[in-house]
Amino acid sequence: MRHQKAGRKLGRTSSHRKAMFRNMLTSLFEHEKIETTDAKAKELRKIAEKIVTLGKKGDLHSRRQVLRVISDKKIAKNLFDQIAPRYQSRNGGYTRIFKVGRRHGDNAPLSLIELIPEENVQKPKKRASGQQKKIAAASTAPK
Amino acid sequence: MALPKRRHSKSRRDKRRTHDRLSSPQTTLCPQCNEPKLPHRVCLGCGTYKGKTVLEVKEI
Ligand SMILES: [Zn+2]
C-alpha cells in the first residue's frame, strides 16, 4: 500500500535529494525562476512555499531556519526584504509552474517554476468574486 | 504442449498489426500565433501561456 508515502524520491538518496533541493531553492530565490523537470518542480514547490512562509514571518527564529536551507546570506536577506513582503495579501500559492515541453537527450518533461511576480500578486481578488458568484448561484439554484 | 500448427503468412501478421498504429498527440491551436501546441503546455512557437509571455523563443 502507498499509505503515508507521499513525495518523490527522484532516484536519489535522502542526503543527495536534500542537497539538490537546497541548491535548487538557492537558485530559485536568486533568479525568481528556474527550469527543471516536471517532477522536481512539483517537489520543489512544496519546499519553496514553506520557505516563503518563513520569509513572511521574518523574526530571528525564522531567519535562522531559512539559513539552515539557504546558506547564501545575500539571497536569504533578499528573500526577507524583497520577495516575502510582496505576498502579504496571499496565503500560499507563491509559486507557479509552466510546462514547457521535453528535453533533448532524455525526453524528460520540463517545467518552468517561478515565484509569482509582483505585478500578478493581486490575483486572489478575482477568485473571491468568483466564489461570491458561486454562492449567489447556489442560493438561487434550489428555488 | 500447445504448439502452432502452421506458420502465419506475412499477410496475416500484417493484418494483425493494422490495429497497432500510434495515434498522433492531441494538439490545440495557440490563441496568440495559431500554431499547433500541446494542451497545458507553453506554446513553443511564441513562448506564451494564457496570453502571457513565459519564454523567449530563439529564432533558428
Ligand atoms: Zn503561440
Side-chain angles (χ1 to χ4, degrees):
Chain A
M1 289 184 287
R2 65 150 287 288
H3 295 177
Q4 304 273 311
K5 289 182 187 170
R8 299 167 178 82
K9 292 186 186 174
L10 300 167
R12 287 160 173 84
T13 60
S14 65
S15 55
H16 184 181
R17 202 159 46 236
K18 189 178 160 195
M20 181 188 74
F21 281 125
R22 285 182 66 175
N23 288 331
M24 288 174 77
L25 284 166
T26 307
S27 300
L28 178 67
F29 288 116
E30 183 180 358
H31 303 287
E32 304 255 326
K33 56 174 134 179
I34 56 174
E35 192 178 281
T36 177
T37 62
D38 285 3
K40 282 188 217 162
K42 285 181 178 180
E43 285 298 310
L44 185 67
R45 174 172 60 186
K46 291 189 198 177
I47 314 166
E49 301 268 340
K50 283 169 189 161
I51 297 289
V52 175
T53 305
L54 286 175
K56 284 169 77 175
K57 271 193 199 164
D59 54 4
L60 181 61
H61 181 51
S62 58
R63 279 174 186 269
R64 284 177 176 163
Q65 282 177 305
V66 167
L67 284 168
R68 280 165 55 180
V69 181
I70 298 168
S71 56
D72 188 315
K73 285 187 183 166
K74 263 188 202 165
I75 295 169
K77 189 173 188 305
N78 188 50
L79 164 70
F80 283 99
D81 299 347
Q82 306 296 325
I83 298 171
R86 71 167 104 126
Y87 300 125
Q88 282 309 329
S89 62
R90 225 172 225 257
N91 300 313
Y94 312 120
T95 58
R96 176 192 287 156
I97 295 175
F98 294 104
K99 293 182 176 166
V100 295
R102 284 173 180 272
R103 179 160 64 196
H104 283 295
D106 65 356
N107 209 28
L110 290 182
S111 280
L112 189 95
I113 179 167
E114 68 173 16
L115 298 165
I116 308 278
E118 185 128 43
E119 61 270 22
N120 296 335
V121 168
Q122 287 310 317
K123 209 184 170 188
K125 273 183 190 169
K126 257 188 200 171
R127 210 191 294 146
S129 69
Q131 272 176 349
Q132 280 172 352
K133 269 181 207 166
K134 262 185 205 167
I135 294 159
S139 61
T140 54
K143 292 168 195 172
Chain B
M1 253 213 299
L3 283 169
K5 188 170 186 179
R6 304 282 315 168
R7 174 197 147 91
H8 271 194
S9 67
K10 288 174 197 166
S11 163
R12 262 185 185 280
R13 179 201 67 197
D14 292 349
K15 274 194 221 164
R16 179 177 67 241
R17 291 182 185 172
T18 58
H19 295 286
D20 293 353
R21 63 184 167 273
L22 297 173
S23 55
S24 54
Q26 181 92 39
T27 57
T28 54
L29 291 182
C30 171
Q32 302 293 316
C33 66
N34 259 345
E35 291 279 312
K37 66 179 266 294
L38 290 168
H40 307 115
R41 242 40 71 89
V42 173
C43 172
L44 297 178
C46 62
T48 61
Y49 187 73
K50 288 192 174 171
K52 284 173 203 155
T53 307
V54 179
L55 297 172
E56 283 180 23
V57 177
K58 290 167 200 158
E59 296 287 328
I60 302 164

